[in-house]
Structures are given as C-alpha cells and as structure tokens.
Amino acid sequence: MNADHTLDVSAIREAASGASAGKWDALATCVEAGMWLVADCAQDYDAEHIATMDPPTTLALLDALDAARAEVERLTIKHAVIDRMAEQRDELRAERDAIAEKIAVAIEAEAHHVDRVGGDTHDYNEAARIAREVGKA
C-alpha cells in the first residue's frame, strides 16, 4: 500500500509479474528477536513481491475484491428487476391496447345504432379513431 493507504494495484501487479514462477514454500526462521526470515530468495524481485504483499495490502486487496463482488451482485439484482419491469410494461401495454380496441368496437357499435335511427355518427367515428390511436401509443 502507498503511504496514503491506497491500494496500488499496478505496483502489486508489477511485483507479482517480476517474481519467479518457481515453487514457493513457506519458511519462517527467527533471525533475531522480532525479526523473521520468511523466504529464502535468490532474486531481489521475489523479495520485492513478498514485501509488496504485506498484510495491510493483502487485506485491502481482499476488501476491494469483496466490494467488487458485492457490486456485481447488486447490479445483477438491479438488472433482473429492470428486466422484470420491462416485461410488466410490455404486459400493461398489451392490456391497454386490448382495452382501447374493445372501446373502439363498442363506440362503433353505438355509431351503427345511431346511424340506423338516422343520427349523426361523425362524433362516434372520431371517438373510435381516437380510442384506436390510444391503443397504439
């Protein structure tokens, strides 16, 4: 981690990329009071990798991983809700269209009745047209 306690992912990646790919074994040897030898490194870049992954850095990296996983879960749930809402919207539009068509048919039936008794059907025909337009909106 940096001095300002931020996770420097590029430094971790660089140190890990530079480390040897060979077999890694745990080694803990007390070299003096309070100081432990944790690895027998033939190369400086292996020691750099180990030093880069100190406990605060490792914990910060795991916290970032946990946060990323939680965000993926949150977004997965959010997208599922959005998908369901889109399905419900489509269902409601289909219901609205069906109701508008039924209204238009009922208005046309009334217009036919008015026409049979010699009345003016212009307003009825206009109302039926508007009902169908609402159904197409």
Side-chain angles (χ1 to χ4, degrees):
M1 284 205 334
N2 294 335
D4 63 356
H5 303 292
T6 60
L7 187 61
D8 188 350
V9 175
S10 60
I12 294 169
R13 185 177 303 281
E14 183 179 335
S17 296
S20 65
K23 186 173 188 283
W24 287 67
D25 292 315
L27 169 70
T29 304
C30 184
V31 291
E32 65 181 69
M35 181 179 244
W36 288 81
L37 176 65
V38 294
D40 184 9
C41 301
Q43 305 296 333
D44 287 344
Y45 45 79
D46 288 340
E48 180 64 31
H49 168 64
I50 292 167
T52 301
M53 290 305 296
D54 62 353
T57 300
T58 301
L59 292 171
L61 188 58
L62 292 172
D63 288 345
L65 179 61
D66 287 345
R69 285 178 174 163
E71 181 66 5
V72 166
E73 179 67 20
R74 185 188 72 78
L75 290 173
T76 299
I77 291 168
K78 181 178 180 179
H79 284 123
V81 169
I82 290 170
D83 289 346
R84 181 60 189 133
M85 289 174 71
E87 289 172 8
Q88 290 174 336
R89 178 205 59 217
D90 293 344
E91 291 168 3
L92 289 171
R93 284 181 177 166
E95 285 181 39
R96 178 206 57 205
D97 295 351
I99 290 169
E101 181 60 26
K102 288 178 183 179
I103 291 171
V105 168
I107 292 170
E108 287 171 342
E110 183 65 22
H112 181 68
H113 174 71
V114 169
D115 186 46
R116 283 183 29 208
V117 294
D120 183 11
T121 61
H122 174 74
D123 290 341
Y124 288 99
N125 293 331
E126 182 64 11
R129 184 190 65 76
I130 291 170
R132 284 200 170 91
E133 285 181 12
V134 167
K136 295 176 183 175

